[in-house]
Structures are given as structure tokens and as C-alpha cells.
Amino acid sequence: AVDKAISGGSWDNAPVRDMAPHADIVNKYITPSQCLTTTLRSGDLCYCIRAGQIDDVALMSEVSLEQMTDFFLYCKEVNAIVANMRSKSSDSIVEVFTANDLNGVKLVGGDATFRKALSAASTKANELYPSLAVPTFLLNLPKLLGALVKLFT
């Protein structure tokens, strides 16, 4: 997928999306505006997911926890490959940060299986790519969750 994405001389994400596990279903619900990786000024990568903008209930009615975990793990694998390629070419370690935008996330009424898939993929990715295990940024926390975070920090 990565070879096809760079074959034209610049990055084309279409082959990566099309070759993702269960893309025929998942890509109906997760678009590039909801899940993308971008390059930071430092040269590091930032994998952004706008979980609150995804219809997780409809999505999870069509895929299993394992299928969704496979999809997210594939995204992390692609990011790892790109980070390794850029690390080699720049002679500097490229890290992959994750930004999880929780704007619009429903604490009640959303699909917990979707959140479990995100968590399972992150856990597995940390095992497979320990050098890429950097902090995840939680953005736009719902008020209740934000209050809980303040209590424990």
C-alpha cells in the first residue's frame, strides 16, 4: 500500500485507504476528514482521529471488534512504515503522535465496541512498535470526562 501511495512521486492516500482491511465497509464511515495522518513542522507524524465525527453505532453494526481492530492496526502499521522510511532518509528518528479529538463523542449512547477497537489497536501497536509508543493527546474532552481528568491530575 505504501509503495503504491508514493509511486507518483508524492503521497496519494487513496491506495492506502483502498487496501485497508475491511475497507469496503469501514471507508463508508471513516473518511479522510475523520481519520488522517499529517506531518508536523518537526518532521514527526501526527495520526489524528475525530472519533466524535464517526457514526460508530452504524459502523459497528457492520463490522466486528476484531475487524475494526485490524483496520486501526493497519493504520498504525502504515504510519510505522512511513516513520521508518523518513527516519532513514533524514537520519533522525521520526515519531508518530496520536491526537484523538473527542469533540462530539457520546459517553452514553455511542458504541463501546468502537472505543474498545481503538484501545486494542493501540495496545497491540505498542507491543509491535515500542519505539513509536509516544503519548496520545486527548483533545476536546466531554465535560464529564474533563472533570474526571482534573480530579486525577
Side-chain angles (χ1 to χ4, degrees):
V2 172
D3 289 341
K4 285 188 179 185
I6 60 176
S7 67
S10 62
W11 185 264
D12 177 8
N13 204 48
V16 174
R17 281 182 46 81
D18 293 344
M19 296 175 77
H22 321 291
D24 56 324
I25 299 170
V26 175
N27 287 346
K28 292 188 295 185
Y29 299 98
I30 300 180
T31 66
S33 68
Q34 297 158 323
C35 185
L36 65 99
T37 300
T38 188
T39 303
L40 302 174
R41 280 186 226 148
S42 63
D44 294 319
L45 301 175
C46 185
Y47 173 63
C48 307
I49 183 156
R50 299 176 66 207
Q53 306 306 311
I54 297 167
D55 186 350
D56 57 350
V57 174
L59 170 59
M60 296 311 295
S61 73
E62 293 195 47
V63 296
S64 69
L65 171 64
E66 293 77 20
Q67 289 172 317
M68 198 68 245
T69 302
D70 287 347
F71 176 85
F72 285 127
L73 197 53
Y74 167 84
C75 294
K76 295 197 178 270
E77 170 74 15
V78 168
N79 285 334
I81 291 168
V82 172
N84 287 340
M85 288 171 45
R86 291 185 179 182
S87 293
K88 287 178 187 176
S89 68
S90 69
D91 200 30
S92 177
I93 299 291
V94 172
E95 295 183 303
V96 181
F97 294 91
T98 299
N100 193 343
D101 182 357
L102 301 175
N103 185 36
V105 167
K106 299 174 195 159
L107 296 177
V108 177
D111 193 298
T113 312
F114 180 78
R115 291 186 296 274
K116 286 180 186 175
L118 275 170
S119 179
S122 291
T123 300
K124 186 68 173 173
N126 287 341
E127 293 170 16
L128 294 171
Y129 318 107
S131 64
L132 296 179
V134 297
T136 294
F137 298 96
L138 300 177
L139 309 172
N140 300 312
L141 294 170
K143 288 182 182 180
L144 176 60
L145 192 55
L148 289 172
V149 168
K150 286 179 184 176
L151 280 174
F152 295 103
T153 58

